[in-house]
Amino acid sequence: MPAVNDPTDLPWWRHAVVYQVYIRSFADSDGDGVGDMPGITSRLPYLRDLGVDALWITPFYTSPQRDHGYDVADYRDVDPLFGSLADADAMLARAHELGLKVIVDLVPNHTSDQHVWFQAAIASPPGSPERERYMFRDGAGPDGDEPPNNWPSVFGGAAWTRLTEPDGTPGQWYLHLFDSTQPDLNWRNPEVGDELVDILRFWLDRGVDGFRVDVAHGLFKAEGLPDTVLRDPDEDAPASMVEAAGVDEPMWDQPEVHEVYRRWHEVLAEYDDSEVGPRMAVAESWARTAEAIARYVRPDELHQSFNFHWLSAPWSAEAFAEVVTETLASLAPVGAVPTWVLSNHDVVRHVTRYGGGAQGLARGRAATLAMLTLPGSAYLYQGEELGLAQVDVAPEDRTDPSWFRTKDTAKVDIGRDGCRVPIPWGGDAAPYGFGPAESGDQPWIPQPDDWAGLSVEAQTGAEGSTLEFYREALRLRRTFAETAGTDVEILPGAPDLLVLGRGDVVCVLNAGTAPAALPAEAGELLLSSGDDPDGTLAPDTAAWFRRA
Ligand code: GLC
């Protein structure tokens, strides 16, 4: 493995920009209002021209779509909603032809309740080998009619659902950290680990370049399934993974999980010399501390872990500097490369998190530029290159299980539909080129009626557009990403300025409310996220300079 600071011959994922494709909302080839695999294939040239290195595609496997694909019924096939295995192969071949890598999503913590294993489990008696693949337990209380412990589901309500046995009597309970249609697998059963390795090989053999590992800090649960400490007994659910990760819980981040990733590392390494090249895996691990996350990327485990700390940080130069310092410090001992992300399909889009409107957009662009300065991989979420904001989805159009599970409770979670609205590609009205449907026809989540100016078509070639800004930032990033090394300096500057130095690039971000004097290191201007600086940098703006 190359040394961290060796700029030569680095595997692609050590400095990649990865574009997240939420398949249901990217491009719809057949006009059913839901995106699909041929839709992705048709838009690959757009991604190449945008200047990304890779795409990560959210789950497209056979699934009843209760959690939009994160409930997998068959890990080795493509859901007819999205196409066929042949369509997946064609997409992969075309991506590789265009020089793009492809990361697929792997969901090892739970299956769909429609998976053959779960169907066999509920048709089999308690204690049977079929039940041993999941987390079945007898209920508590004299009649067994209380859940086995107090664990909450991330999506609201209890993490346990009671079965009705085939003879109609109330039966055992099964664990689901997410929706009741997503039963958790029993990772203490070796059959589960073997099956997941077989699934890894299935996709590696087809030529995928990597995996995004869903809920990578899940899988193992503490022995004996002890009760957790609920922060507020009146609130039975954490509002999101962000909150769930803030609690010391026996269902997350158990030490045994690392054995799994050591085994996967070996499997992936077997493919290093294959025609496709080195493969990688990135963990979605909402573990509590930077140190806990670093454990997932020790040299013999996964290659990367998402770093959600910037995404959770407020708009503040100090907070951003702290995130950068802590991230790099936590990864240095394990020699792993950092990752950076501001938006994904589970969180409020960053333009909106930063206040929305023109100011939110300005801040979003500035934060993106600062993030793209940094070593390691940057993950972009579809639509952020268009400056899309979170959409306020009407209650009757919401589809997220967390909405359905909480809408009648004291702690309503409106869900994640607002960041999953289909992409506007062109035209004046819905579906804005998302699919071939009649003008005015809405896709699976309705698009706002003021999106015409935000479409790819409207922004292409338009001076100052967010799309052209992303294209230019990615083009420039290519000139230094591989060669600038992994050291980052946090340079001194005026209050509220974040000044990052990497190689001969200096990034200055103004998180204050007044124009600020540029630091001495800011030489020739390379790119600004807003108005070009002229001795001072406007608030809510970031710029790249050649180091003076
Ligand atoms: C991950 C996914 C999220 C999904 C959940 C359950 O957090 O990103 O979308 O709902 O896992 O699989």
Side-chain angles (χ1 to χ4, degrees):
M1 187 190 271
V4 181
N5 280 311
D6 177 3
T8 57
D9 198 26
L10 296 177
W12 64 273
W13 47 265
R14 292 187 84 97
H15 47 74
V17 174
V18 184
Y19 183 98
Q20 181 190 352
V21 170
Y22 190 73
I23 185 168
R24 295 178 62 93
S25 301
F26 187 61
D28 169 20
S29 72
D30 57 9
D32 66 355
V34 180
D36 48 45
M37 200 59 89
I40 297 177
T41 309
S42 73
R43 296 295 186 180
L44 289 172
Y46 167 78
L47 296 182
R48 191 244 348 244
D49 296 344
L50 179 61
V52 303
D53 302 286
L55 52 153
W56 144 37
I57 309 175
T58 54
F60 47 75
Y61 318 106
T62 313
S63 158
Q65 300 289 315
R66 296 296 290 267
D67 188 20
H68 303 327
Y70 284 97
D71 48 327
V72 182
D74 182 352
Y75 289 81
R76 297 180 184 82
D77 206 351
V78 174
D79 196 287
L81 181 65
F82 302 128
S84 62
L85 264 182
D87 292 328
D89 290 341
M91 181 278 303
L92 201 53
R94 181 75 181 124
H96 287 163
E97 225 171 76
L98 294 172
L100 294 165
K101 305 286 184 184
V102 177
I103 296 173
V104 297
D105 219 310
L106 187 74
V107 188
N109 181 69
H110 45 264
T111 70
S112 159
D113 63 352
Q114 299 305 308
H115 191 284
V116 284
W117 275 9
F118 194 75
Q119 289 299 309
I122 60 177
S124 304
S128 60
E130 288 81 0
R131 289 221 174 166
E132 274 307 299
R133 295 169 177 148
Y134 292 92
M135 304 291 289
F136 283 94
R137 293 291 184 279
D138 293 331
D143 303 318
D145 55 5
E146 287 164 32
N149 68 23
N150 71 348
W151 294 3
S153 152
V154 173
F155 290 162
W160 295 93
T161 290
R162 191 171 196 185
L163 280 187
T164 301
E165 300 293 353
D167 66 1
T169 57
Q172 284 191 305
W173 297 70
Y174 67 91
L175 177 71
H176 52 86
L177 292 179
F178 295 89
D179 191 50
S180 56
T181 62
Q182 294 169 293
D184 279 55
L185 286 163
N186 173 17
W187 273 86
R188 296 190 189 276
N189 178 349
E191 203 186 342
V192 169
D194 291 347
E195 172 69 359
L196 262 292
V197 163
D198 202 67
I199 292 165
L200 278 180
R201 289 191 194 281
F202 178 87
W203 290 102
L204 289 166
D205 290 340
R206 296 195 100 81
V208 304
D209 299 279
F211 298 92
R212 176 261 187 192
V213 183
D214 189 63
V215 197
H217 60 314
L219 282 54
F220 280 85
K221 281 78 191 174
E223 288 280 15
L225 311 184
D227 273 356
T228 185
V229 181
L230 293 170
R231 288 151 310 143
D232 174 352
D234 294 333
E235 292 180 11
D236 60 359
S240 65
M241 291 288 264
V242 187
E243 269 190 42
V247 192
D248 186 10
E249 286 167 330
M251 64 285 259
W252 306 123
D253 197 28
Q254 299 300 305
E256 295 92 332
V257 78
H258 296 288
E259 278 309 318
V260 174
Y261 300 133
R262 289 193 186 103
R263 183 170 176 200
W264 290 13
H265 184 99
E266 296 288 312
V267 174
L268 266 65
E270 287 172 31
Y271 289 79
D272 272 355
D273 297 325
S274 63
E275 203 186 317
V276 171
R279 319 294 173 99
M280 58 82 77
V282 52
E284 183 212 21
S285 159
W286 293 88
R288 274 166 300 128
T289 60
E291 289 70 30
I293 292 172
R295 287 199 283 270
Y296 289 77
V297 289
R298 286 178 284 197
D300 59 347
E301 296 198 34
L302 300 179
H303 304 80
Q304 293 183 336
S305 175
F306 288 128
N307 164 22
F308 296 117
H309 291 129
W310 193 320
L311 177 157
S312 321
W315 175 255
S316 144
E318 208 184 323
F320 293 165
E322 205 175 291
V323 168
V324 172
T325 311
E326 277 182 13
T327 301
L328 298 177
S330 68
L331 295 176
V334 293
V337 280
T339 65
W340 311 96
V341 56
L342 289 168
S343 281
N344 66 31
H345 68 296
D346 290 329
V347 301
V348 172
R349 283 186 177 276
H350 63 282
V351 161
T352 303
R353 285 203 319 270
Y354 292 143
Q359 186 180 51
L361 179 60
R363 290 179 171 183
R365 287 167 55 145
T368 298
L369 195 65
M371 168 182 100
L372 290 174
T373 319
L374 297 165
S377 289
Y379 284 80
L380 307 180
Y381 177 49
Q382 66 180 37
E384 68 166 88
E385 79 279 21
L386 305 176
L388 297 188
Q390 191 78 359
V391 174
D392 193 6
V393 177
E396 62 275 18
D397 294 326
R398 293 180 193 154
T399 72
D400 194 338
S402 57
W403 160 249
F404 294 124
R405 289 178 65 86
T406 62
K407 65 189 174 71
D408 301 321
T409 71
K411 195 175 182 193
V412 175
D413 176 355
I414 62 166
R416 300 161 292 179
D417 297 300
C419 64
R420 299 174 174 180
V421 179
I423 295 301
W425 291 94
D428 297 329
Y432 298 106
F434 168 64
E438 300 276 309
S439 173
D441 272 8
Q442 285 287 7
W444 71 285
I445 305 177
Q447 296 164 311
D449 54 18
D450 59 355
W451 264 15
L454 291 172
S455 73
V456 171
E457 184 183 66
Q459 294 197 44
T460 297
E463 207 192 317
S465 74
T466 301
L467 178 57
E468 291 301 341
F469 163 70
Y470 268 71
R471 285 188 176 140
E472 185 57 9
L474 296 180
R475 188 190 69 75
L476 282 167
R477 187 182 185 276
R478 273 180 193 280
T479 64
F480 66 83
E482 234 172 304
T483 50
T486 54
D487 289 343
V488 178
E489 286 167 87
I490 312 260
L491 297 162
D496 295 324
L497 281 195
L498 171 72
V499 187
L500 302 171
R502 178 166 172 231
D504 73 342
V505 175
V506 172
C507 178
V508 186
L509 178 146
N510 185 355
T513 53
L518 290 171
E521 293 84 355
E524 177 204 348
L525 175 70
L526 299 174
L527 179 65
S528 169
S529 69
D531 289 339
D532 280 357
D534 178 13
T536 62
L537 183 68
D540 303 327
T541 308
W544 276 345
F545 301 90
R546 187 83 55 212
R547 195 189 285 253

